[in-house]
């Protein structure tokens, strides 16, 4: 397990992270929203009560990496977390497909450069960094939006390897489910999953930080 | 793992099970409420997608075992589940302590006899039965209400052993947390916990049915 | 133009037809909902005011062809329309993909047989009948749900040809849009389109009944 | 068809244009309100998907031409549209008839001068301009308010001819309906019509810009 | 003054009479609605406090004379009033103009025959009867709906003279106002006036029953 | 009749005047509230339509004369009315009886001095001034609060006579009713009457300004 | 102290007793409303915790003694209380003064006879009975409604003496306050007092049953 | 009785004092909330009407002594009360137990020092000061949170003795109840009691100020 006693973890991202969190900074049983951040909190606290971990959520619905940059000082640097988790990019891609005529778009070059800049600014002060890819809940890798999302995910992978971050490939984490379900089972818009889909994200995150699921299972 | 493909699991109990479930029978992403039943569903579906399991929730807030008996035919027998989980008894005890003058109480003898009668009526038709004890989120075993709850929990243990049920000692599952937290961290009324407390229940349940947490963890 | 003065047209279907119509029978400026039926009404009335046409909407959200059968006597036969339009089948297919474990499904054989039975019962009393296919707003014809929907659409075509109905291939009507937009532009769940998508349906319907768009355009 | 690929069209006016649009600038499927602007958008997008047109709505309920002048810089000039459509004057006339004692009125001279001034300021930067007359849904041309409205409409016609604008005589567009309906069929206050009345406006507008209704009608 | 001590007056009609009255029978300061019936009550009670009069309102919005017939036994005969006032007919005419395609209409013959039948059934038991004409707040007597309303008003006059009723020509009562105002000053739909319009009705009614306005005016 | 064509009348006072008026200045059919000001408006407009009078209401619930002084510039002087009506003093007295311990009270000396000062400041610019006494709907003149209210009413009488104002003795206007009713018939708190009580105020006001009730009564 | 361990007390009456109680029978911390019954409950329970008393409230707003008779079997006899408290009569008197024209009134003879009949039916089964007079919060005993209320109170006194009831003269209990306050301090309608007024009732009741206020006061 | 005519008493504290009071300063029948302050007010006013006492409530939910310090000038010193009552400390302790990881806590040293500083600043200007201890509604004195609360209560006792304050040991006042009830009877979270619990606080406070409960009890 990579986390240590009293570590404080900050999560930033879009609506998948937000999920109705409290403002200005979501924390505690009623402040983390109802998505993967809240699930991770319940699992960490119930199975590692002695670690006395704090989780904080500053995800904002609809955000792109450009929005994160705007609020990076206040919502990340000023909070001085021990660990930081970033999952961003879904809206950067989605807006190109559902509002193609919108005035400005976050294309790949800006996306990767901004993500790298943000990571670079905070990495030295962190005990640990987790980068989670954006995803699209579509099984067909040739679907135009899925294909674009995968390309953005590769950018996350590059930044993660450059900055010694734990890398979570969320798109890959969902793949096993598509052998058994059509994606509508989890989501109608292919972006916002139900609690099962969030649990896929939670498990992928916890596996990445070395969570020992069976540490206090009675044998 | 004790569950098999296409099994249907029914959960019955009080507000801990209910948690805002849909009526008449809660099922699916939005119908199971927001407590341990929903957590169990998300964990089962995300980690065992191939099992195609169905979960159904018929918990009712405020119920005692006497209330379960009243609706047993309609809410349990008629639904013909493969597996049944029962967690009842908190209100049977609580009413003796917060409404001691109420017209009638469910004392121990009636509690155990009724539970046994209900279990006997359904056990032959089940693939599996899980009996979860009632609990009181109080660390002091000599607290009058905690002590009474433990006695009711022992009744559950007896019935479980007589009817070949998986037994989940929920009071014991919470115990490790009290080494690190005062109970107010999870709950103010010592009955209704936050998501962390529900995850303690979920883990105790899943461990009982042989859930393999690490089956698809990337090594 | 196939419609005649004082004709009364009845529309039945699912949420695409319903769109918030009034009950028990939606009619008039505020009773037809806000979907293609209301658009057709506005276009017919503004361009053919002398025809004095009445439109009635009995679409119900979530309906399958099995639901139509249940209410056919009351909602179709008893209303004795001059013209009838049926668009059904989306939910018959969707439930197989988003709730694959649901207790019962409307598979192809039942779908086509029921549609044929309903059409047969009403056709002799109608001046005209319009059958509109179900659709799925997905450009990839090999997507599993799209492919299934196309098969259901072929069943509609067969019934239409047997019963002298005007046939509207809604899936084909949407196709030209996909050359220019990803489907998210019109819809996030690939079923419920915005007003533009409804106008595609309206135009396909009106073209089928011989609507002359330019009859009173000032040259 | 006078519109070209990627053109952006701005609509300004009173409640007939507003119809519940989004603020500060209404745009897209859910932002244009539910009146003629939204209908025009659905028709343009469904029949000319390749043009990739953008429509924006800055109509404000209750506005007179004097109100337009107040917000002209922010709501028109700053938005730099390719095409502009103006329909104003109903409230300028109505206030003289329903609040004759109000402190100030927009009489004809001010109306025409202001409209001319606004048009002059923006015309050089436009690809195209559409001026739509105000109207009153009263068949009797000698009704005092109808007669006044017609005089204001003539002012619009003068300004249109001076500034090379497409001119839409909305009062004339409604006339054919009065052969078949009393105006109460469309409206109780003779100002705000139902969707059919808005479709009359939409058709008049689209005919003016050379919309080809039958371009993709299957023969 | 024609009213006597302790007389009970019943008012029946459509929305003009109803005006939000209480159910089943509106009476007293908060039960008579906010229209002419309430105004009449305030004037009678403040200027003739010694008469101890009771007023009851059974007007129903949207009613035609056909609707009155349906509820005549319960809402008029059973209440055994001393005086009865009837104002009906606006909806009988309006429906012919705003919903010309509706399934059935109350044409003149049915209107007059029904009104006569209702009056005949109750007249012998009344101390006094007041018949008020329907009206349309349109100054032009050749407007189609106004002209029809005047014809219905003449039917009321005939019935009044046959059954010794006080006759109130409401259309005539409004006429003096049109010399000074366009009708929009009082009403936008030409049916539902503001408090000033209701006061015109109140004064016409009170003049008919011999109300002495100046009886206790300090000289 | 003392009012002339196009006169503008301003009413200021407490909750009796306010009655839910619009802000910042109540005017017109929906802006004058539902009390005596609205009744006066309806009576003036229906019986003297040719005068084209405007009425404005700036009554504020709970106000004392001290509150009027605070807003006199903005709510009276700046509005430059032709006629002004003041009815104030009920709260000045009431607070001494229902909140005797409140920090400050408006005793008689301050009341009369303030009223005189306000009247003096505005009188020169008015065509006419109406001063209405405060009242208490209690028949017993020896009731302590009634007796105090009468003393305040005498102060109004003095100021009226000094400044050539029309004087309306509202307490006297109510007196005839108490021969027939206990005050609870009109009001439970002896301050806020129902519409009948407001009509008593309206009649007293209209009589004072020379309103001719029967000018257009058909003989 | 006249009450004994485990006694159950029932209170019946009008709005003074009701005060928002729960239905069908108000009981416990949140079920007794917010009036004197709830105050009595808090005082009894905090000062005599060992008595384990139950209080039940079946007061209904607006009730007269005639209404009590209608529900006496269900709301009193069937509940089999140990003690019963009745406070009724305010509405019996009030309706004669605020709705003098209402169809029927409960005059003194009916009031006293009905109260006697009800008391007679229940007295044999009671450990104790408390009869509280109606009251009117008016200091002047010659006020017509106050005078009538006092006469009704004398009827209560007669019935109490006949049936060995504890008699509570509530009107007398309020009298000392009027030496210091005008009644508006406690109430604006002279019927519904604030919490201070209810405490006057509570104290009068508790004194009647022998409540020892200082039994556990620390000296 | 220690209070004198016209004394003004100020209460400050946390949610137990607040109980929904009005802002900025709660006073009077509807402004003091629904807790012990309101009960004390009703008892003082009903039994000592001649004292003409004023009570003011500035309790704020969630406050610690650190919060009191922040608003001491505005909410205490500026109000210049005759008597001041302080009950604070519950949240100071509770936060250590339910949010142990919160950024800052009010430990004992700060608590006592701050309380002493606040008391010192105001004592010279007061006629009387009442210090009430914090409490925890738990019968077991060895419960960790109860034990801590008792330690904070001792700090209050020290400050009270240093500054000549009346000392109210609220924890001791509740003790007699636990011989008869489990604490759940009064409260589920062991902090917020029902009206009975508030009455325990009220009685303890009133006994401390020399309230004579039986002064006007009829013997």
């Amino acid at each position: 397990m990579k986390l240590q006693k009293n570590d404080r973890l900050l999560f930033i991202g879009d609506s998948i992270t937000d999920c109705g969190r409290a403002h200005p900074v979501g924390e505690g049983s009623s402040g983390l929203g109802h998505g993967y951040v809240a699930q991770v909190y319940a699992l960490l606290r119930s199975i590692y009560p002695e670690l006395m971990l704090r989780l904080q959520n500053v995800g904002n619905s609809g955000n792109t990496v450009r929005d994160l940059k705007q609020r990076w000082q206040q919502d990340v640097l000023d909070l001085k977390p021990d660990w930081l988790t970033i999952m961003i990019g879904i809206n950067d891609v989605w807006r190109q497909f559902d509002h193609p005529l919108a005035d400005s778009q976050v294309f790949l070059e800006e996306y990767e450069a901004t993500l790298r800049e943000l990571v670079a600014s905070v990495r030295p002060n962190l005990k640990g960094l987790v980068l989670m890819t954006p995803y699209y809940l579509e099984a067909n890798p040739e679907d135009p939006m899925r294909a674009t999302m995968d390309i953005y995910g590769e950018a996350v992978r590059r930044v993660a390897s450059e900055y010694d971050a734990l890398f979570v490939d969320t798109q890959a984490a969902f793949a096993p489910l598509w052998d058994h379900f059509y994606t509508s089972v989890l989501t109608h818009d292919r972006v916002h999953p139900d609690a099962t889909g969030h649990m896929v994200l939670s498990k992928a995150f916890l596996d990445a930080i070395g969570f020992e699921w069976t540490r206090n299972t009675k044998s």
Side-chain angles (χ1 to χ4, degrees), chain A:
Chain A
M1 171 50 133
K2 297 183 164 62
L3 303 180
Q4 298 172 317
K5 187 161 186 179
N6 292 323
D7 275 352
R8 188 155 47 79
L9 289 76
L10 182 67
F11 292 79
I12 195 165
D14 49 34
S15 61
I16 310 304
T17 303
D18 184 330
C19 275
R21 68 162 178 105
H23 282 79
V25 177
E27 184 169 356
S29 297
S30 63
L32 292 172
H34 57 274
Y36 75 94
V37 183
Q39 291 174 343
V40 162
Y41 180 64
L43 282 159
L44 280 172
R45 221 162 51 136
S46 60
I47 299 187
Y48 289 84
E50 77 283 7
L51 286 189
M52 301 300 237
L53 301 168
R54 292 178 62 189
L55 272 71
Q56 294 179 313
N57 184 347
V58 290
N60 273 4
S61 289
N63 268 21
T64 62
V65 76
R66 193 188 288 161
D67 298 309
L68 294 199
K69 184 175 176 179
Q70 278 241 331
R71 57 190 183 94
W72 196 251
Q73 181 66 43
Q74 171 185 334
D75 282 359
V76 176
L77 300 179
D78 291 355
L79 293 177
K80 300 185 193 305
D82 298 304
W83 282 75
L84 176 67
T85 298
I86 308 172
M87 179 165 63
I88 198 70
I90 290 178
N91 292 304
D92 307 66
V93 173
W94 206 4
R95 289 302 86 72
Q96 299 172 43
F97 286 83
D98 70 352
H99 287 83
L101 303 178
D103 283 325
S104 82
Q105 301 284 359
V106 182
F107 292 115
L108 180 64
E109 188 176 15
E110 176 183 354
Y111 173 76
E112 182 167 351
T114 306
L115 182 61
R116 183 174 284 113
E117 173 191 343
L118 298 181
V119 162
S121 75
V122 72
R123 187 66 188 89
N125 304 316
L126 295 173
K127 283 188 177 178
L129 171 67
V130 183
L131 292 187
M132 300 172 76
T133 66
Y135 61 80
Y136 190 49
L137 300 175
E138 166 59 54
N140 174 17
E142 292 170 26
D143 174 277
M145 184 165 150
R146 163 72 195 272
T148 306
M149 200 69 81
D150 288 351
I151 292 171
Y152 277 61
E154 285 309 302
V156 176
R157 186 190 299 271
R158 285 191 292 274
V159 176
S161 73
E162 294 168 21
Y163 286 90
D164 188 24
L166 298 177
F167 175 69
V168 178
D169 186 340
T170 62
Q171 189 77 54
F174 281 110
L177 277 70
W178 310 148
D179 297 341
H180 309 288
F181 298 119
Y182 187 68
T183 62
S184 293
V185 170
L186 299 192
T187 170
H188 277 152
D189 65 8
R190 290 184 278 184
V191 166
H192 299 95
D194 66 358
T196 298
H198 274 281
M199 195 59 85
V200 170
L201 298 172
S202 296
K203 184 165 196 307
F205 172 86
L206 289 170
D207 285 346
I209 62 167
F211 189 85
E212 299 168 38
W213 295 86
T214 56
R215 65 192 294 268
N216 59 2
T217 300
K218 291 186 300 183
S219 57

